Amino acid sequence: MKYVFPLKEEIRKAIAAGEVVESPVSVVKELFENAVDAGAESVEVQIEGGGMRLIRVTDDGEGIHPEDLPLVIERYTTSKVQSLDDLLQLETYGFRGEALHAIAAVSRLRIRTKWMGSDEGRVLEAVEGQVKVLRVDPWRRGTQVEVSDLFFNTPARRKFMRSPQRETAAAAEMLRRLAVPLTHMRVKLLSEKRDVFLLYARSGPQDRYIQATGLDVHLEGFDATTHGIRVYGWLTPAEWCVRTSRKLYIYVNNRWIKDDVIFSAVMGAYGNLVEPSRYPAGILFVELDPEEVDVNVHPRKESVRFMRPSDVYEAVRTAVQELHRISVATPANTETFTSDISETDTGEKKDVNRITFSRKEFRSPGLNEPSPMYLTGKEPDTWKFHGIAFGRFAMVERMDEIVFLDVHAAAEQVVYASLMKNVEEGGAPRVPKLVPEVVTLSSDEKSLLSEMKMTLERMGFVVEDAGPHAVAVREVPQVLQDVSINDIIRAVTSDETRGVDAVRNEISHICATIACHSVVRGFVRMGENDVLRILKMFFDENLMKYCPHGRPLMFSISRSELERRFKRR
């Protein structure tokens, strides 16, 4: 008896549609990306009934050639890929030629279009993928795709749809993610004929992000290139992080994606600066050679595969970490201030480093509270010292602000950074284990560990072969002499992309504890010279703006804010 049969055509279409069209969100995404690829400068999306009753996408792009119109709903028909080389160097959002075919198979579809080189428009109407109408139409410019009665012929799929309100919210969030980096485009969304949002063209990505999400946050810019991979964007500082990870928009070669490698690198860069329940918000762009990223790994093109995931991870982590540092470069347009200073403890006159204060963050409209302070500095200068409040908080004056500094936290960060630098650069003392610690590993884990051996040795570990399925750890950094190494080695080998970070995280935690107990504590009487010395070390070393436990080191209150509070203005 024969058990294997070819699938019927209607079953094939249903399966193919299920891969591409999961929900109304999938339809909105595919149709919007088609409009982008058509060179549209304005796109309007209308949704009714959460997208189940109607999705209408109208653009002013180049339109569809009259001879191509009946082909667009056929499977594997596309204008974007003609060879395998094209597939390896994709610069368009769509490429498979599956979207309209899949959408048409599970809906009533109407396409009205006018190709830019044609004198008249055309209209195509299809039901369940079968063309019912194809004729001349008085459409004037671009393309309008109307999808109605989605999943009308697959009632089982309709039962799994969420409420219209939730489907609309999901479609709106997807459209925001797609539209934010496309600053040349005007994008409008309507639901039940009411405006949901409107993004204007020619605004910067950070402006569009704030406009689209409605978040009331600071965004700080960063830009760095590592291993030939450029990473740039605008993210919230640690103290402005939010309670959801959904407000972090990630783009690879301007394509929105969900990616564990990049997300983990971002979170690794923030480390213990944020609470476990909070996440950075903002936009992050990764640019690399298209041949080094495979976008053809997900039915809805929502994830990618990298040729060098470890390099991507390091590039992202390195770039984002710069958000938490104090730059030593002095911008040309920054404000400076000076004061009468100062003597060393021996009474000897000295110069103090010039500290230049600079705001580099993007601030969303409507914020009035005192903002965190972000500083840069390089050459000697002076500032006006006003004393210590409550034995802990130093006050210094700049031209139009009072800056409050947590002296203990700043000193703690100086010690912590010194310890971490010594370990990571191989300058930290290492100690032998009295009894070498043997760690049992699989052959794959052992192979992965051997690839990281040079990095681990630089950090102070001496790891030797101890048989086909084991290694012996003979020396460790001094800060880890009382720590179980077994867990660290296993964490290193659990993920080829982020393994060494397990070591860094453990060392970071221990160095933070050492720093906390080794610096001067609060409520200890400190003088001007102590504060100035800490500030000098702080800026000389280009340190992070937070203590190792994530607390901010300083903030400022502007003169105008003080005048407002005292009713002086």
Side-chain angles (χ1 to χ4, degrees), residues 116-131:
M116 59 181 181
S118 178
D119 295 329
E120 53 190 11
R122 290 286 192 278
V123 61
L124 177 148
E125 295 180 8
V127 179
E128 293 187 276
Q130 300 298 315
V131 176

Side-chain angles (χ1 to χ4, degrees), residues 205-221:
Q206 67 272 45
D207 295 296
R208 283 171 76 92
Y209 176 84
I210 292 294
Q211 186 183 2
T213 62
L215 289 179
D216 214 10
V217 295
H218 280 287
L219 294 178
E220 284 197 60

Side-chain angles (χ1 to χ4, degrees), residues 23-25 52 158-167 170-171:
S23 67
V25 177
M52 298 298 293
R158 289 181 73 93
K159 291 192 297 185
F160 287 92
M161 293 301 104
R162 297 169 291 185
S163 68
Q165 294 79 8
R166 293 189 65 183
E167 291 293 351

Side-chain angles (χ1 to χ4, degrees), residues 91-153:
E91 295 183 358
T92 57
Y93 288 92
F95 54 89
R96 293 197 190 106
E98 290 184 301
L100 284 174
H101 170 81
I103 293 168
V106 292
S107 70
R108 307 183 197 277
L109 177 71
R110 182 171 73 163
I111 303 175
R112 303 178 72 186
T113 185
K114 181 177 181 296
W115 186 53
M116 59 181 181
S118 178
D119 295 329
E120 53 190 11
R122 290 286 192 278
V123 61
L124 177 148
E125 295 180 8
V127 179
E128 293 187 276
Q130 300 298 315
V131 176
K132 301 297 183 182
V133 174
L134 181 61
R135 57 176 169 78
V136 173
D137 185 75
W139 192 249
R140 56 200 180 281
R141 183 185 180 188
T143 302
Q144 181 184 86
V145 182
E146 189 175 286
V147 178
S148 57
D149 295 333
L150 187 62
F151 301 130
F152 79 96
N153 56 347

Side-chain angles (χ1 to χ4, degrees), residues 143-322:
T143 302
Q144 181 184 86
V145 182
E146 189 175 286
V147 178
S148 57
D149 295 333
L150 187 62
F151 301 130
F152 79 96
N153 56 347
T154 53
R157 176 62 64 88
R158 289 181 73 93
K159 291 192 297 185
F160 287 92
M161 293 301 104
R162 297 169 291 185
S163 68
Q165 294 79 8
R166 293 189 65 183
E167 291 293 351
T168 299
E173 179 63 16
M174 175 60 73
L175 195 58
R176 291 186 187 100
R177 294 168 180 167
L178 298 173
V180 161
L182 305 173
T183 57
H184 64 286
M185 290 181 62
R186 174 186 179 273
V187 180
K188 184 177 183 179
L189 173 65
L190 300 94
S191 175
E192 311 300 337
K193 300 180 181 179
R194 296 181 180 179
D195 291 354
V196 177
F197 66 77
L198 171 61
L199 301 181
Y200 294 99
R202 290 176 293 279
S203 56
Q206 67 272 45
D207 295 296
R208 283 171 76 92
Y209 176 84
I210 292 294
Q211 186 183 2
T213 62
L215 289 179
D216 214 10
V217 295
H218 280 287
L219 294 178
E220 284 197 60
F222 57 94
D223 192 335
T225 299
T226 308
H227 302 304
I229 301 167
R230 184 190 178 201
V231 181
Y232 68 98
W234 295 263
L235 295 177
T236 51
E239 66 272 23
W240 285 92
C241 286
V242 298
R243 294 191 179 276
T244 175
S245 62
R246 294 173 61 85
K247 298 304 179 184
L248 173 60
Y249 293 0
I250 297 171
Y251 303 89
V252 172
N253 291 344
N254 231 36
R255 181 191 300 272
W256 172 80
I257 63 162
K258 294 183 287 188
D259 187 80
D260 288 341
V261 171
I262 295 176
F263 181 77
S264 296
V266 172
M267 296 307 297
Y270 277 79
N272 58 2
L273 300 182
V274 295
E275 301 172 23
S277 60
R278 289 188 174 270
Y279 304 88
I283 42 182
L284 182 143
F285 296 90
V286 178
E287 290 184 356
L288 71 167
D289 188 334
E291 292 191 5
E292 294 192 1
V293 54
D294 184 358
V295 301
N296 191 25
V297 296
H298 190 278
R300 294 179 298 280
K301 298 165 290 185
E302 292 182 359
S303 62
V304 298
R305 180 183 292 124
F306 297 109
M307 186 181 296
R308 298 180 291 145
S310 297
D311 287 349
V312 171
Y313 180 87
E314 185 177 349
V316 172
R317 199 178 197 276
T318 299
V320 176
Q321 276 182 327
E322 293 307 308

